[in-house]
Amino acid sequence: NAGVTQTPKFRVLKTGQSMTLLCAQDMNHEYMYWYRQDPGMGLRLIHYSVGEGTTAKGEVPDGYNVSRLKKQNFLLGLESAAPSQTSVYFCASRKQGVTTDTQYFGPGTRLTVL
Amino acid sequence: RKEVEQDPGPFNVPEGATVAFNCTYSNSASQSFFWYRQDCRKEPKLLMSVYSSGNEDGRFTAQLNRASQYISLLIRDSKLSDSATYLCVALPGGGYNKLIFGAGTRLAVHP
């Protein structure tokens, strides 16, 4: 049982390049999330999904797209990377409908855009 | 106003000290509350859930005051290994699909 995994762990991009971050969970959770965390700042929600085939915007969605084609995977795409997207990206998942159940995070992807 | 607010710290305390973190939340319909711990350059991990009656886990005690919309975390007998950022988290009512994270309080325990 691996929990939540993220690939890649590190990446360096040039401005304008594109990439996809992959998040996978093996806990059969319905909800999945993408956050970014910048130095000295808290977690900011980018996009989230409440089930396979559904996505919704969080508080900082601009410049990102997501897809949830399979329940266990949640992809985050950067179509044209900008230096402002240099950050640590965390994926998380949570079970639906249980208010006392917590959220589990992946180990993060450290992205640098030059 | 942020939905969950915390004192950013840092709190610098000696080993063995007792330290308390406070957190306020703005949504009175919030259903559940948690404290997470985040080590430097690592992912947040659940430290403990917060129950209405208050709860304790070893050296850690969490309290909830719904009337004041206030959550606290008390750490007794601080260890060097307690140095981390502590995140206060609330689950708002009505949707149950998004946790709201505070920005975190940094704790540094020194010898």
Side-chain angles (χ1 to χ4, degrees):
Chain A
N1 193 338
V4 181
T5 58
Q6 294 182 231
T7 52
K9 289 186 169 53
F10 304 93
R11 185 74 185 267
V12 178
L13 290 178
K14 294 181 180 177
T15 296
Q17 286 185 315
S18 63
M19 77 164 295
T20 300
L21 283 67
L22 171 64
C23 175
Q25 53 95 3
D26 60 3
M27 297 175 281
N28 202 35
H29 285 171
E30 290 79 11
Y31 298 159
M32 295 187 75
Y33 310 85
W34 276 108
Y35 296 88
R36 62 177 288 174
Q37 188 174 40
D38 301 296
M41 297 185 70
L43 293 163
R44 291 188 290 170
L45 183 63
I46 304 171
H47 286 280
Y48 66 101
S49 168
V50 298
E52 183 178 321
T54 71
T55 63
K57 293 180 180 180
E59 60 179 305
V60 288
D62 294 341
Y64 305 95
N65 56 74
V66 288
S67 64
R68 183 107 181 262
L69 299 179
K70 293 183 179 181
K71 186 177 184 179
Q72 63 268 34
N73 295 338
F74 195 28
L75 278 63
L76 177 71
L78 286 73
E79 289 185 348
S80 179
S84 60
Q85 294 177 304
T86 293
S87 189
V88 180
Y89 292 86
F90 289 106
C91 176
S93 72
R94 186 166 167 270
K95 193 173 180 179
Q96 179 188 24
V98 181
T99 60
T100 55
D101 208 20
T102 189
Q103 190 164 298
Y104 298 89
F105 285 85
T109 294
R110 283 161 180 75
L111 174 67
T112 301
V113 182
L114 302 175
Chain B
R1 182 186 171 189
K2 292 183 181 178
E3 290 191 61
V4 175
E5 296 208 62
Q6 297 182 248
D7 181 340
F11 284 59
N12 293 298
V13 302
E15 276 186 289
T18 296
V19 61
F21 303 139
N22 302 320
C23 166
T24 58
Y25 61 95
S26 59
N27 186 339
S28 59
S30 293
Q31 296 286 315
S32 304
F33 305 90
F34 309 91
W35 282 101
Y36 276 69
R37 170 192 170 128
Q38 186 173 24
D39 294 297
C40 187
R41 300 176 68 79
K42 298 283 190 179
E43 74 272 25
K45 292 185 178 178
L46 178 68
L47 177 67
M48 59 195 302
S49 301
V50 184
Y51 302 123
S52 295
S53 55
N55 49 299
E56 190 173 305
D57 183 2
R59 298 182 293 109
F60 299 85
T61 300
Q63 295 279 351
L64 168 63
N65 183 324
R66 285 193 182 273
S68 302
Q69 295 181 204
Y70 171 98
I71 304 156
S72 65
L73 176 68
L74 184 75
I75 305 176
R76 291 180 299 278
D77 189 22
S78 298
K79 312 290 185 191
L80 294 176
S81 57
D82 293 333
S83 297
T85 297
Y86 291 83
L87 307 176
C88 177
V89 185
L91 177 65
Y96 308 140
N97 57 18
K98 281 188 293 180
L99 294 179
I100 306 298
F101 287 80
T105 298
R106 196 155 59 91
L107 172 65
V109 182
H110 57 81

